[in-house]
C-alpha cells in the first residue's frame, strides 16, 4: 500500500514556566492511501499535538520540534517555509476540529465560505465553484443545497454546521483529512450521523483520514487501523480488529475495559486508576508502569521497544518479551470482545467490526 504520509521519530516539546513539557516522545507512523487511521488515547496523550505538527499549527512562541520528520510526497513538512506550507494546508492536507462554530465565519454565507478557497487556490471560475459547492453540500448530506448555500452558519444546527465544515475541508480534494474529535461537541444521535457520514465519505472519495478520538467505541465504526497513544508515545498500533480482538498492551486493555458493558445496567464506567505521566519529567521506564496492574521490575527501569505481534500489529510492552510471564487480558476485555462478536453473529475474532456492535451509536444504543 502506498504511503501518503510518514511521521518518523517525532519529538515535540513546549517551553513553559514550569519547564520543558515533553509532549511527543518519539512518535512514528505511516498513513496509507485511502485508509482511515484512528488515533486514540486519554486526554493529554498527545493526539492533537501530533496532528497540529502535521498541519504546522503549533503555537510558535513556545513549541519546538526537537527531532523527527513528517514526510508528505517526499517533502519534510517540518522544513517547509510558511509560504510553502500555506499551499499544502487546506489544499493537500486539511483539518476539521471539534467545534464547528470556530471554523466557520459567522458573517459569511455558507456557499461563499466553500467557494472562496476554490476560487483563490484552484483558480476556479465563480460559476464552477458554485457548482462544486452544491455538489459538496450534497455529498455531506445537506438537504436543499440550493437554498442552504445562501444561508449563514447560525441558520444551521450543530450537526449541519459540522457537515458544512467537512464540505469546506473536502473542497480542494485533499489527500489527507485530519478530523480532531469532530463529534465530541455534538449530542449522541448527531454524533452517530456524522460518523456515518465519515464512513460513507471514506467509500466515495480516496482521501486518507486521520481520525482522533478519546472514545474507543467510536473508533470501531470508522477506522481501518488504530494507533493507541499514551504519554506522548504510540504504545500499540494495529488493524481495528487486532486492537479490539487481540490487544496486547495493558493500557489498551484498560481503554477497552472503559467501554460500556452491555450486560450490566451499571452506569458507572470503569476508568483506569491513576494519572498520566508528568511530561515535565517523564519516567525512565514504561510510562504506564505506575498504573499497570501487571507491572514488572523492568518496566520501572527500561523503556519497552515495539514487539511485533503480526505484520500489521506492534505493541510496546515488556509483557511481550519471551521471558515475561504469560498474562491474559482481564475478564472485562474478554466480555467486551464476546459482546462485539456475539452481536456480529459469530464467535470468531476476524469479523469486520460492525457499527451496531457498539454503544454510543444510533443502532447500538
Ligand atoms: N500550547 C501548549 N503549551 C504547553 N503544553 C501544551 C500545549 N499544548 C499541548 N500541551 C501539552 O501537550 C500534551 C499533549 O496535549 P494534546 O496533544 O492536546 O493532548 P490530546 O491527546 O488530549 O489531544 C499535554 O500534556 C498538554 O498539556
Ligand atoms: Mg486533543
Amino acid at each position: 500500500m502506498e504511503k501518503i504520509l510518514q511521521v518518523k521519530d517525532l519529538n515535540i516539546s513546549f517551553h513553559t514556566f514550569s519547564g520543558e513539557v515533553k509532549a511527543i516522545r518519539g512518535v512514528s507512523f505511516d498513513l496509507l492511501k485511502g485508509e482511515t487511521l484512528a488515533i486514540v488515547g486519554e486526554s493529554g496523550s498527545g493526539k492533537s499535538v501530533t496532528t497540529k505538527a502535521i498541519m504546522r499549527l503549533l503555537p510558535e512562541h513556545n513549541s519546538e520540534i526537537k527531532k523527527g520528520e513528517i514526510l508528505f510526497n517526499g517533502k519534510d513538512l517540518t522544513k517547509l517555509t510558511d509560504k510553502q506550507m500555506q499551499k499544502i494546508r487546506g489544499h493537500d492536507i486539511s483539518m476539521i476540529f471539534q467545534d464547528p462554530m470556530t471554523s466557520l465565519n459567522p458573517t459569511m454565507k455558507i456557499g461563499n465560505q466553500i467557494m472562496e478557497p476554490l476560487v483563490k487556490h484552484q483558480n476556479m471560475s465563480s460559476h464552477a465553484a458554485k457548482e462544486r459547492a452544491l455538489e459538496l453540500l450534497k455529498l455531506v448530506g445537506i438537504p436543499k443545497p440550493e437554498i442552504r448555500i445562501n444561508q449563514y452558519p447560525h441558520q444551521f444546527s450543530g450537526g449541519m454546521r459540522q457537515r458544512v465544515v467537512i464540505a469546506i475541508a473536502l473542497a480542494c480534494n485533499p489527500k489527507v483529512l485530519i478530523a480532531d474529535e469532530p463529534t465530541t461537541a455534538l449530542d449522541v444521535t448527531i454524533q452517530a450521523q456524522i460518523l456515518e457520514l465519515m464512513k460513507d465519505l471514506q467509500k466515495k472519495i480516496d482521501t486518507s483520514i486521520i481520525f482522533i478520538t478519546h472514545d474507543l467505541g467510536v473508533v470501531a465504526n470508522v477506522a481501518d487501523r488504530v494507533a493507541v497513544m499514551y504519554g506522548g508515545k504510540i504504545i500499540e498500533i494495529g488493524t481495528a480488529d487486532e486492537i479490539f480482538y487481540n490487544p496486547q498492551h495493558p493500557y489498551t486493555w484498560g481503554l477497552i475495559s472503559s467501554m460500556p458493558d452491555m450486560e450490566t445496567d451499571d452506569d458507572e464506567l470503569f476508568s483506569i486508576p491513576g494519572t498520566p505521566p508528568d511530561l515535565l519529567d517523564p519516567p525512565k521506564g514504561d510510562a504506564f508502569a505506575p498504573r499497570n496492574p501487571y507491572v514488572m521490575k523492568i518496566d520501572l527501569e527500561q523503556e519497552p521497544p515495539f514487539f511485533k505481534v503480526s505484520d500489521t500489529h506492534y505493541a510496546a510492552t515488556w509483557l511481550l518479551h519471551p521471558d515475561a510471564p504469560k498474562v491474559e487480558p482481564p475478564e472485562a476485555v474478554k466480555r467486551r470482545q464476546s459482546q462485539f462478536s456475539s452481536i456480529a453473529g459469530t464467535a470468531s475474532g476476524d469479523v469486520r467490526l460492525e457499527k451496531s456492535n457498539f454503544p454510543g451509536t444510533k443502532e447500538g444504543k
Side-chain angles (χ1 to χ4, degrees), residues 37-108:
L37 172 73
I39 303 182
V40 298
E42 287 170 308
S43 168
S45 56
K47 307 180 297 291
S48 294
V49 171
T50 301
T51 47
K52 278 183 188 158
I54 297 171
M55 288 292 277
R56 286 265 297 268
L57 290 174
L58 291 169
E60 249 164 57
H61 68 284
N62 74 341
S63 69
E64 185 190 351
I65 297 186
K66 309 274 291 190
K67 206 175 143 194
E69 294 177 297
I70 300 171
L71 298 177
F72 176 75
N73 273 343
K75 273 182 281 196
D76 184 356
L77 299 184
T78 67
K79 302 247 154 56
L80 298 189
T81 62
D82 286 344
K83 202 154 180 217
Q84 289 170 319
M85 196 58 212
Q86 264 171 27
K87 279 206 181 129
I88 288 189
R89 208 184 289 133
H91 188 257
D92 294 305
I93 309 180
S94 59
M95 187 154 178
I96 48 181
F97 297 94
Q98 190 169 321
D99 179 6
M101 221 33 194
T102 56
S103 343
L104 292 173
N105 181 343
T107 65
M108 204 170 154

Side-chain angles (χ1 to χ4, degrees), residues 115 119 123-132:
M115 287 161 62
V119 174
N123 295 324
M124 257 190 204
S125 69
S126 60
H127 178 76
K130 191 178 170 189
E131 287 302 307
R132 174 82 178 132

Side-chain angles (χ1 to χ4, degrees), residues 109-111 137 142-152 155-157 160:
K109 286 179 183 169
I110 292 296
L137 289 175
I142 292 185
K144 303 207 180 77
E146 307 79 16
I147 296 170
R148 292 302 228 164
I149 203 167
N150 290 316
Q151 294 181 337
Y152 292 90
Q155 293 172 284
F156 287 68
S157 66
M160 284 294 156

Side-chain angles (χ1 to χ4, degrees), residues 201-349:
L201 287 175
Q202 197 195 358
K203 284 183 222 136
K204 288 186 185 156
I205 55 180
D206 64 353
T207 303
S208 306
I209 301 175
I210 299 179
F211 192 96
I212 299 181
T213 176
H214 62 274
D215 182 352
L216 209 49
V218 156
V219 162
N221 289 303
V222 290
D224 298 306
R225 287 195 305 138
V226 180
V228 182
M229 282 194 80
Y230 186 78
K233 289 171 186 278
I234 291 177
I235 54 88
E236 183 158 7
I237 187 163
T239 64
D241 283 351
E242 284 168 335
I243 297 298
F244 280 94
Y245 290 110
N246 192 25
Q248 300 293 324
H249 199 289
Y251 177 63
T252 312
W253 296 348
L255 285 182
I256 294 176
S257 306
S258 312
M259 293 171 67
D261 185 341
M262 286 174 263
E263 273 161 35
T264 64
D265 288 334
D266 207 351
D267 277 343
E268 195 108 338
L269 290 183
F270 168 82
S271 67
I272 306 168
T275 49
D278 177 5
L279 296 175
L280 283 165
D281 183 21
K284 74 171 181 203
D286 182 342
F288 188 61
R291 303 170 78 183
N292 185 357
Y294 314 92
V295 66
M296 299 178 285
K297 193 155 161 274
I298 193 166
D299 286 315
L300 304 166
E301 289 163 0
Q302 225 175 303
E303 239 184 88
F306 265 122
F307 289 93
K308 182 174 173 174
V309 185
S310 78
D311 283 347
T312 48
H313 187 186
Y314 292 82
T317 166
W318 284 118
L319 288 175
L320 287 172
H321 190 277
D323 295 340
K326 189 96 188 78
V327 180
E328 286 286 306
E331 275 311 309
V333 170
K334 294 185 187 163
R335 208 160 54 238
R336 301 301 184 290
Q337 290 170 336
S338 69
Q339 287 171 5
F340 312 150
S341 48
S342 71
I343 297 175
T346 157
S348 116

